[in-house]
């Protein structure tokens, strides 16, 4: 019992340290990126420096991926910790050292999937930015396109697809069903949780990407929304309430871009 208590204290302590560190680095990084400004574009918007790698494309990709991983740890840790805690309980009695290793593997699998997602986002973002700089017509349509993306993301919150993946993000293995000391099982559990989490958060992450990846206020709002819909007893209801606000924001952005109101 004492060993279990110490193990849990270490687990939560390490998780808290990771969250505080990643959140601090994200704030510092985001503030620095905001201070750099961006490129004014036709249509009255500004392109972030994130999507303008210049001549040092590999360095920009590495920088983006580092920023992305740190940001994901800060945003997702509050909802991941309860899942990892339940996973630790499902493993059953085992050595403290082995339990810690399994927890690390599960968490690493989860963030590995978010890393892969970030690796896919960067080249797409850079390609779109290049097109927008070359085609003024496309650049002028960006403000309305942002509103449309936000509107669609809000509608996604009401879909069965969202509800399915939200449920999958809340399901944990039954106690005793996880093979004790199975590193492969821990890794695969983290991978599956990461895949479901990405699909569950896809709409809200799309909002963050189009509004501004390093917009600290938008990031904080999205992190709170994701955490509440994941941990609240009525998660689907929270997701729908979030969807109402996101749809409202999308309509406002569309009207603003169209010069209405």
């Amino acid at each position: 019992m004492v060993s279990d208590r110490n193990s849990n204290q270490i687990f939560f302590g390490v998780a808290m340290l990771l969250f505080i560190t990643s959140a601090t680095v994200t704030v510092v990084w985001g503030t620095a990126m905001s201070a750099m400004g961006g490129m004014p574009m036709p249509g009255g918007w500004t392109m972030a420096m994130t999507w303008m790698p210049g001549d040092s494309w590999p360095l920009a990709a590495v920088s983006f991926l580092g920023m992305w991983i740190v940001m994901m740890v800060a945003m997702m840790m509050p909802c991941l910790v309860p899942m990892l805690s339940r996973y630790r309980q499902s493993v059953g009695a085992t050595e403290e050292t082995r339990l810690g290793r399994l927890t690390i593997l599960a968490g690493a699998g989860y963030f590995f999937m978010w890393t892969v997602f970030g690796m896919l986002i960067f080249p797409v973002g850079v390609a779109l930015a290049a097109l927008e700089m070359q085609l003024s017509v496309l650049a002028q349509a960006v403000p309305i396109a942002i509103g449309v993306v936000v509107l669609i993301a809000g509608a996604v919150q009401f879909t069965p697809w969202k509800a399915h993946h939200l449920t999958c993000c809340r399901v944990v293995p039954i106690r005793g069903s996880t093979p004790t000391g199975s590193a492969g099982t821990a890794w695969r559990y983290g991978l599956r949780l990461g895949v479901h989490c990405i699909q569950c958060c896809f709409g809200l992450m799309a909002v963050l990407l189009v509004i501004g990846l390093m917009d600290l206020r938008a990031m904080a709002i999205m992190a709170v929304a994701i955490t509440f819909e994941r941990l609240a007893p009525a998660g689907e209801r929270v997701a729908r309430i979030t969807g109402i606000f996101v749809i409202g924001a999308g309509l406002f952005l569309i009207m603003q871009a169209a010069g209405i109101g």
Side-chain angles (χ1 to χ4, degrees):
M1 184 65 67
V2 175
S3 178
D4 289 345
R5 188 181 301 114
N6 290 339
S7 178
N8 288 330
Q9 288 176 347
I10 293 172
F11 165 67
F12 286 111
V14 171
M16 179 64 70
L17 180 61
L18 283 174
F19 171 73
I20 293 174
T21 302
S22 60
T24 302
V25 174
T26 300
V27 170
V28 172
W29 209 326
T31 303
M33 292 292 290
S34 298
M36 292 174 62
M39 178 184 293
M41 300 291 291
W45 61 284
T46 302
M47 181 180 293
M49 298 297 293
T50 306
W51 311 115
M52 294 183 287
D55 296 330
S56 57
W57 205 96
L59 181 61
V62 171
S63 176
F64 172 85
L65 196 58
M67 174 190 70
W68 175 263
I69 294 171
V70 171
M71 184 178 72
M72 286 302 102
V73 173
M75 290 184 66
M76 301 301 170
M77 188 62 76
C79 60
L80 176 63
V81 167
M83 295 301 296
L84 288 180
S85 178
R86 294 169 190 169
Y87 168 77
R88 288 163 59 86
Q89 295 173 8
S90 74
V91 170
T94 186
E95 298 176 10
E96 183 176 342
T97 302
R98 182 177 296 174
L99 182 59
R101 186 164 59 247
L102 294 177
T103 305
I104 292 172
L105 282 171
Y110 174 84
F111 284 116
F112 174 78
M113 294 311 305
W114 276 109
T115 302
V116 171
F117 187 52
M119 292 171 65
L120 297 175
I121 286 174
F122 181 71
V124 173
V126 171
L128 287 175
L131 286 174
E132 290 159 0
M133 287 188 286
Q134 293 173 8
L135 304 174
S136 60
V137 175
L138 182 60
Q140 291 172 356
V142 166
I144 288 182
I146 290 175
V148 171
V149 170
V150 174
L151 183 64
I152 294 173
V156 168
Q157 294 290 104
F158 294 86
T159 62
W161 183 79
K162 167 72 178 189
H164 168 71
H165 290 291
L166 181 58
T167 300
C168 291
C169 288
R170 296 159 63 97
V171 172
V172 295
I174 300 173
R175 182 175 179 85
S177 64
T178 304
T180 301
S182 174
T185 300
W187 175 254
R188 288 191 295 273
Y189 171 74
L191 293 178
R192 286 196 300 269
L193 186 59
V195 169
H196 286 302
C197 186
I198 290 170
Q199 295 181 81
C200 180
C201 300
F202 189 82
L204 297 181
M205 291 305 300
V207 173
L208 183 59
L209 286 168
V210 299
I211 293 295
L213 187 59
M214 294 308 295
D215 186 318
L216 296 177
R217 290 174 299 181
M219 193 185 306
I221 291 172
M222 292 299 106
V224 170
I226 289 169
T227 301
F228 268 85
E229 70 179 22
R230 200 70 57 81
L231 302 183
E236 290 186 27
R237 184 180 303 173
V238 174
R240 290 193 289 269
I241 293 173
T242 300
I244 293 173
F245 283 102
V246 175
I247 288 173
L251 292 172
F252 172 78
L253 290 172
I254 292 173
M255 293 174 63
Q256 186 180 52
I260 302 175

